[in-house]
Amino acid sequence: MKHRRLYAWLSAVISVVPVALLGCERHVNLGPVAEAGAAKAIHEALVSAKANPAAGAKTAPTGTGWATLKGQFVFDGDPPPMPPYNVTKEQDICTVGGKALPQEKLVVAPDSKAIKNVVVFLRDPSRIHESANPKADSVEFDQKHCLFLSHVAGVTVGQTLNIKNSDTTGHNTNIIGAGFNQLIPAGGAIPYKIQKETQVPNQVTCSIHPWMTAYLLTRKNGYFAITGDDGKFEIRNVPAGEPLEFQVWHESGAAAGGGLVGTTADAPDLKWSNRGRVAITLQPDQVKEVKIVVPAAAFHL
Amino acid sequence: MSKRSFGTFVVAALATTLMGSISAQAAGWGSVKGRIVVDGTPPKVAPLVVSKDQYCIDKKPVNEAIVVGKENALVNAVVYLRVATGQKVQVAPSYDAQAKESVVLDNNGCSFHPHITLIRVGQMLDIKNSDPVGHNTNVAVFAFNQTIPSNGQSQIKASTAGALPTPVVCNIHPFMKGYILSQEHPYMAVTGDDGTFEIKDIPAGKHDFQFWHEAGGYLKNVALKEGKTDNRGRAALTIADGKTLDLGDIKVKASSLK
Amino acid sequence: MLSRSTWLVTCVGAIAVAGCSESSPPFRLNMTNVVAKQISLDHQQAIANILGGMFGTPDEPIALPETGLDQRLLAMAAGPVWSDKEGGKHGLYRRHCVHCHGISGDGQGPTAAILNPYPRDYRPGIFKFKSTYTSGEPTLGDLEKTLHDGIPGTAMPSFALLPPDEIRALVEYVKYLSVRGQMEAALENHVAEELDANAKFDPATDPAVQQLIVKDLLGPIVESWNGAKDQVIRPEDGAIPPAERPAGDIAASVKAGRELFFGPKANCVKCHGPTALGDGQQTDYDTWNKANFDFITATNDKISQIDSLRQDLAKATGDEAEQLRKQILEAQAEYGSRSKRIAALLPPRNAIPRNLREGVYRGGRRPIDIFWRVSAGIPGTPMPASGPAAEGAPGTLTQQEIWQLVDYVYSLPFEPASMPQKKPINTEVVSK
């Protein structure tokens, strides 16, 4: 019996030792552990729709059909006047009649208050209508009077930008972030095939004439638009029946990455984020027309 | 996944506009000012160990953890309006121009100028290097850490607000230390060489103000004209329309600067 | 009556069951942060409960829809280790990761203390080896690469032999532990900065707290993870050096890279040292060790603070003395809880710049890997970015210059260590 007792002692000690070594950290305050009941109550409160009304509408069913979004951007109030470009050299070529042209950081029509050069594009479309497939043709991108003639341009991947120089002086055209930086001789042209998509338009500059600035949007599909003098845009044949997210961008947009945050008082189904992104779901064959009013504070000038 | 995250974003954006509109009717604007002084003998700070670059050694940068000016004025204390998470405070139109300016942080003489940088979310931070040696500027609150060559410049947008000032360091010159405070609003001030501060055009009403110092952290239990700061260095002050609340001399115990 | 041996066995059994760890290990809070912020016991419990409600337990993780996490993948990775009849593996995280990275992903598994570098603590959501801009979260592809390739020069092995779906599940679980850790830090900050010591903090009954948690605290964390794919640094097509180049081109690029390495623009020499042995700057800390280092420093500072409060007390009378006594007691209590915590910390270690002559590259040895390291820096470490901080932002070096540095870094293991440094090098290299 004595042996058995000793054996019991030993086995007990042996089995205690590893437990003591591995399991218990005696001197360290490990802190509290979640109480199962309380955690469950919190979980139920958080998943109930109240905490986040958008929670249910997440995994959107893929819709069918196509729709159109169009509209006009209007400046709220009086826009600040644009100073002329700071032309520091070659006045004879780079000015018109000795006067430098006004800057294009914010171009607003005097009467209609329509905003030019606003970029709208659809982010991550789930499907693409054939009319919005990328193109493969050539697009002209010219410079004259030491200005880029298309101040904001948009092309699809696969298109070729024919970068021209209609001045009598040399320019170098630097598409920042695209890895293109070439000297375009006076009267010359260089083609540049668009290779990749951007989420934010690339800035285009000329280091010889540092005031020259333009922006180039490159997308994998045709779901983009740039407003003209009338501030109007139209994007046709976007996927209907599913949540869409449009990015609104302007070179002087104050939101992150140049996002432009407008208001659409008469279209509450447009949900604006503070990055200038708009969420909306359109019905098949719907043509949604919106008036977007942009306050002065949405611009960073 | 981007759609999913967008959902929360929309909620956030809507809620923000809602709150903005609620507080949009400010009943006028007022100011607060005062002078912070050290009560007692201010503790000595250890001299910096400047181990690298003859240029820096020659420039003799000083330890700015505690700087005391004339008449025991406490320099580089920070006073700012504190807004609870999810809340907003209305900003006076007089700050519109400032919102578009960038804030300059210069590496000069192997120290940061200003020692404590104040910035509003959305403003650009221009980081310069006026020294002949290269620096890197590590602003943890914006997850920014870039090399800034001699006479070079870099830029980052103030992306988030921090509850308290957070360090700015140069890893190449570990003795260099500054702070940055980023807030959604402009109501912040750093005491100058004479210990004074003033914050203007605050919406009239009762607000929480934070008192902070690099060495002292929260400036707790500091007696004010009425009441004192709590154990997080905060006090509720009432700002009246068209008036300046003068807190007079605010005495911070020397012992709380350790 | 029980015999002594039976009694003993019962007793041991009882210890095994109840005494220490329960059968399933729980998530724990970051007690260093909790103590540093002096969070009350009630609030500690509230935070643990909220995290429990949002993220579940190590055995039963929860993916709230707002987090975008994949519940199916999390279930594959979580829980105890077992295999089903078809040979399907369960409990992948505890099978492969937990011994180093710990149950809460705090990098403090049982083996952590004997490893150098320490295993990664996922909770701050900072990852060193990734393709995105400095402030961006890694893409899931970045994390998959780290699992697939391991981290050369460290204890992190390659998991290339695991099937892709298991790697994917583990990556999801790492992201889950990060999001959970970031949420914990956000809650602790909120409690420390905004709540009174005895304020109630319960989202189960208060819709305002629900809103705060999901929108204000969790929202930005999830946004940052979801935005990672828009944050990838893509080298400009024109600037990428072709794989096959004439020796002369490479030599010219290496030479230009060398100029940059020693020059004041890229400034590599300051930390990696004049011989690139990583001996230029060895006293700094990375963000994970710095947290511990700062904690220890602040704890020691408490002693001198208590001393000076005592000196004030000697001179004070009345209300002021009473106030000071209270402050001394508070400071002493804080010192007590802090010094106990120090015993549990992994001793802080310095961040040693990489020895570039070994030819071992932790984040991968493809040119693009080195390019990303130079362009975005190494987040969490003193290594700064030389490229832009965000798309369109100005960078210190052009992409071409970064590729030249890549070429020079590749050449360093073959450069004679005695090769004389360029003199004069624009600025002095290190102090006397």
Side-chain angles (χ1 to χ4, degrees):
Chain A
M1 277 304 102
K2 211 173 186 183
H3 282 85
R4 182 172 290 177
R5 204 169 276 177
L6 186 69
Y7 176 75
W9 266 106
L10 269 176
S11 62
V13 168
I14 288 166
S15 49
V16 167
V17 168
V19 170
L21 279 179
L22 291 172
C24 304
E25 292 175 69
R26 285 137 298 160
H27 304 297
V28 175
N29 173 13
L30 291 174
V33 167
E35 299 155 339
K40 188 158 179 275
I42 291 169
H43 180 73
E44 279 162 8
L46 290 180
V47 293
S48 75
K50 261 181 257 162
N52 184 359
K58 286 300 164 65
T59 41
T62 304
T64 52
W66 309 96
T68 294
L69 179 71
K70 62 193 242 182
Q72 186 187 25
F73 284 89
V74 178
F75 192 90
D76 188 11
D78 288 319
M82 281 290 112
Y85 278 108
N86 183 19
V87 177
T88 48
K89 58 173 116 167
E90 300 182 271
Q91 305 284 349
D92 50 333
I93 300 168
C94 296
T95 59
V96 181
K99 261 185 89 178
L101 292 166
Q103 294 184 16
E104 293 153 284
K105 283 183 178 168
L106 174 60
V107 181
V108 178
D111 300 331
S112 64
K113 300 275 158 68
I115 311 171
K116 194 183 176 181
N117 290 333
V118 180
V119 173
V120 184
F121 65 85
L122 178 59
R123 286 167 52 84
D124 306 327
S126 63
R127 50 202 170 90
I128 292 169
H129 189 268
E130 56 186 27
S131 66
N133 280 337
K135 295 180 193 150
D137 57 346
S138 180
V139 177
E140 198 153 288
F141 191 76
D142 196 3
Q143 33 209 329
K144 176 85 183 158
H145 299 308
C146 305
L147 287 182
F148 293 105
L149 294 186
S150 19
H151 186 63
V152 179
V155 282
T156 66
V157 170
Q159 278 185 304
T160 300
L161 210 59
N162 189 29
I163 303 172
K164 283 175 68 177
N165 178 0
S166 300
D167 273 328
T168 51
T169 182
H171 287 299
N172 81 303
T173 301
N174 184 358
I175 307 176
I176 294 168
F180 179 91
N181 186 1
Q182 299 229 323
L183 194 76
I184 322 280
I190 287 183
Y192 169 61
K193 188 167 178 184
I194 305 299
Q195 316 235 339
K196 60 178 181 182
E197 187 175 60
T198 54
Q199 301 298 332
V200 174
N202 290 120
Q203 195 181 9
V204 187
T205 61
C206 165
S207 350
I208 301 170
H209 305 97
W211 62 87
M212 290 177 66
T213 294
Y215 292 88
L216 179 67
L217 175 77
T218 61
R219 300 294 297 166
K220 281 182 180 162
N221 55 65
Y223 291 136
F224 65 86
I226 298 162
T227 60
D229 291 332
D230 58 1
K232 287 187 177 164
F233 72 96
E234 179 165 2
I235 302 178
R236 289 185 195 189
N237 295 326
V238 295
E242 57 194 85
L244 302 176
E245 191 186 348
F246 291 91
Q247 172 75 55
V248 179
W249 181 94
H250 186 275
E251 67 171 291
S252 303
L260 187 70
V261 185
T263 56
T264 38
D266 50 354
D269 48 336
L270 262 68
K271 307 288 185 211
W272 288 82
S273 87
N274 55 6
R275 304 177 66 151
R277 294 180 186 169
V278 183
I280 189 175
T281 302
L282 299 171
Q283 298 315 311
D285 299 324
Q286 185 183 358
V287 177
K288 176 90 184 168
E289 184 162 5
V290 288
K291 184 178 173 191
I292 300 162
V293 178
V294 188
F299 292 97
H300 185 285
L301 281 170
Chain B
M1 226 188 262
S2 71
K3 299 239 170 62
R4 182 169 289 192
S5 69
F6 186 63
T8 37
F9 230 101
V10 170
V11 177
L14 282 179
T16 320
T17 22
L18 267 177
M19 282 173 190
S21 61
I22 288 167
S23 61
Q25 265 78 48
W29 314 95
S31 305
V32 62
K33 68 175 189 177
R35 184 171 83 114
I36 303 188
V37 292
V38 184
D39 183 10
T41 312
K44 290 252 179 327
V45 287
L48 295 177
V49 182
V50 184
S51 54
K52 198 181 278 187
D53 280 330
Q54 195 56 47
Y55 169 80
C56 298
I57 296 167
D58 293 345
K59 281 286 168 184
K60 300 193 175 62
V62 293
N63 187 344
E64 294 173 275
I66 302 176
V67 179
V68 178
K70 278 183 196 155
E71 299 169 0
N72 266 7
L74 183 59
V75 185
N76 285 338
V78 186
V79 182
Y80 57 99
L81 194 150
R82 224 190 59 84
V83 181
T85 311
Q87 303 290 309
K88 278 203 147 191
V89 63
Q90 203 197 348
V91 175
S94 56
Y95 285 100
D96 284 357
Q98 180 222 38
K100 288 170 187 169
E101 288 164 9
S102 37
V103 174
V104 176
L105 172 59
D106 192 9
N107 289 266
N108 192 338
C110 297
S111 68
F112 291 111
H113 296 272
H115 182 63
I116 298 177
T117 305
L118 305 177
I119 194 165
R120 275 172 80 177
V121 171
Q123 274 185 300
M124 301 302 291
L125 180 65
D126 285 348
I127 301 163
K128 285 169 55 182
N129 179 2
S130 305
D131 284 340
V133 295
H135 290 293
N136 77 301
T137 302
N138 191 336
V139 189
V141 67
F142 302 141
F144 174 91
N145 181 8
Q146 263 197 320
T147 54
I148 318 288
S150 174
N151 290 317
Q153 189 162 344
S154 187
Q155 202 181 43
I156 185 168
K157 194 172 200 168
S159 50
T160 48
L164 292 169
T166 50
V168 176
V169 300
C170 167
N171 301 94
I172 296 172
H173 304 103
F175 49 88
M176 287 174 67
K177 196 171 187 190
Y179 278 83
I180 188 163
L181 175 67
S182 163
Q183 292 285 301
E184 297 277 359
H185 58 74
Y187 302 119
M188 310 174 252
V190 176
T191 55
D193 291 343
D194 56 358
T196 60
F197 68 91
E198 178 163 13
I199 307 174
K200 288 183 177 163
D201 293 342
I202 305 165
K206 203 169 182 185
H207 302 281
D208 249 6
F209 284 84
Q210 174 81 56
F211 295 77
W212 182 92
H213 181 269
E214 170 173 354
Y218 297 135
L219 295 176
K220 326 176 181 182
N221 302 314
V222 176
L224 300 173
K225 259 192 175 159
E226 278 173 35
K228 57 181 172 97
T229 60
D230 65 11
N231 58 6
R232 281 187 284 208
R234 295 170 191 166
L237 303 175
T238 305
I239 305 294
D241 180 20
K243 297 223 172 95
T244 297
L245 173 64
D246 188 352
L247 297 172
D249 277 4
I250 301 165
K251 288 181 183 166
V252 171
K253 285 224 163 44
S255 59
S256 58
L257 296 181
K258 278 197 178 168
Chain C
M1 212 177 136
L2 293 170
S3 79
R4 184 180 279 183
S5 58
T6 323
W7 184 82
L8 268 171
V9 169
T10 319
C11 185
V12 170
I15 291 174
V17 173
C20 324
S21 48
E22 309 85 295
S23 53
S24 54
F27 284 130
R28 296 286 185 180
L29 296 186
N30 180 347
M31 291 307 286
T32 310
N33 200 28
V34 165
V35 172
K37 293 193 169 347
Q38 293 288 297
I39 294 173
S40 71
L41 289 174
D42 284 352
H43 280 157
Q44 290 177 29
Q45 187 65 58
I47 292 170
N49 291 349
I50 292 170
L51 290 170
M54 296 178 80
F55 295 94
T57 65
D59 281 356
E60 289 178 55
I62 297 173
L64 280 185
E66 292 81 358
T67 61
L69 288 159
D70 185 321
Q71 181 74 53
R72 187 188 62 87
L73 292 172
L74 292 185
M76 266 176 84
V81 177
W82 61 286
S83 302
D84 59 32
K85 281 181 188 161
E86 289 75 37
K89 303 276 194 293
H90 300 266
L92 296 170
Y93 183 78
R94 273 181 243 177
R95 189 185 294 264
H96 299 295
C97 318
V98 77
H99 36 275
C100 296
H101 292 284
I103 203 82
S104 309
D106 55 8
Q108 291 173 45
T111 61
I114 56 164
L115 299 182
N116 190 356
Y118 293 132
R120 180 61 48 247
D121 174 357
Y122 304 134
R123 296 171 303 176
I126 300 174
F127 293 85
K128 284 163 116 173
F129 306 120
K130 62 192 187 69
S131 58
T132 52
Y133 288 102
T134 320
S135 61
E137 292 294 351
T139 66
L140 296 182
D142 291 335
L143 296 178
E144 275 174 29
K145 180 184 182 299
T146 300
L147 254 74
H148 186 275
D149 295 354
I151 302 183
T154 77
M156 173 75 184
S158 156
F159 290 93
L161 295 179
L162 294 190
D165 65 326
E166 292 189 7
I167 289 196
R168 181 67 192 84
L170 284 170
V171 163
E172 193 72 3
Y173 198 74
V174 168
K175 179 181 166 190
Y176 160 79
L177 290 175
S178 279
V179 173
R180 185 189 170 281
Q182 290 169 289
M183 185 66 205
E184 180 190 337
L187 288 166
E188 284 159 4
N189 273 339
H190 178 79
V191 165
E193 287 299 326
E194 309 217 356
L195 294 188
D196 290 332
N198 45 14
K200 215 164 156 323
F201 190 43
D202 183 8
T205 51
D206 188 344
V209 179
Q210 292 165 18
Q211 172 89 345
L212 171 101
I213 285 173
V214 176
K215 178 176 85 72
D216 296 313
L217 302 184
L218 181 64
I221 298 169
V222 173
E223 184 70 17
S224 173
W225 277 93
N226 289 350
K229 60 183 193 316
D230 293 338
Q231 290 277 316
V232 174
I233 305 173
R234 292 186 183 22
E236 295 160 7
D237 301 335
I240 305 174
E244 299 296 329
R245 282 178 289 167
D249 286 9
I250 298 176
S253 177
V254 167
K255 185 162 175 285
R258 191 166 198 274
E259 301 269 344
L260 286 164
F261 187 92
F262 286 102
K265 197 170 168 197
N267 246 322
C268 315
V269 62
K270 286 286 159 59
C271 295
H272 290 282
T275 47
L277 289 166
D279 52 356
Q281 168 69 271
Q282 302 200 320
T283 53
D284 213 338
Y285 293 95
D286 64 29
T287 181
W288 301 274
N289 281 284
K290 183 111 173 69
N292 289 354
F293 176 77
D294 286 348
F295 185 84
I296 294 167
T297 313
T299 305
N300 294 336
D301 287 351
K302 282 274 154 211
I303 301 174
S304 66
Q305 195 201 341
I306 292 168
D307 276 353
S308 95
L309 283 169
R310 283 207 178 108
Q311 285 166 19
D312 284 359
L313 179 62
K315 288 175 269 174
T317 51
D319 272 1
E320 201 187 345
E322 198 47 49
Q323 187 65 254
L324 282 165
R325 266 189 216 103
K326 214 177 117 206
Q327 278 178 301
I328 291 171
L329 283 178
E330 279 171 11
Q332 281 171 332
E334 189 176 344
Y335 177 76
S337 58
R338 279 176 161 271
S339 50
K340 267 188 227 144
R341 186 64 211 159
I342 289 178
L345 294 181
L346 295 173
R349 288 195 191 123
N350 289 115
I352 307 298
R354 190 63 46 242
N355 176 349
L356 296 170
R357 288 180 175 273
E358 287 176 335
V360 176
Y361 308 110
R362 292 193 174 168
R365 54 173 307 110
R366 299 170 305 173
I368 186 70
D369 294 322
I370 318 271
F371 175 89
W372 280 326
R373 295 303 90 74
V374 179
S375 183
I378 302 183
T381 77
M383 170 85 179
S386 305
E391 191 166 331
T396 301
L397 300 183
T398 65
Q399 293 213 347
Q400 191 191 15
E401 288 172 321
I402 295 174
W403 284 116
Q404 287 164 347
L405 274 171
V406 172
D407 277 332
Y408 181 59
V409 166
Y410 270 124
S411 79
L412 264 167
F414 308 100
E415 181 184 292
S418 58
M419 183 164 165
Q421 287 163 40
K422 269 172 51 65
K423 288 259 182 184
I425 297 165
N426 299 319
T427 167
E428 61 288 327
V429 173
V430 278
S431 77
K432 296 143 211 175

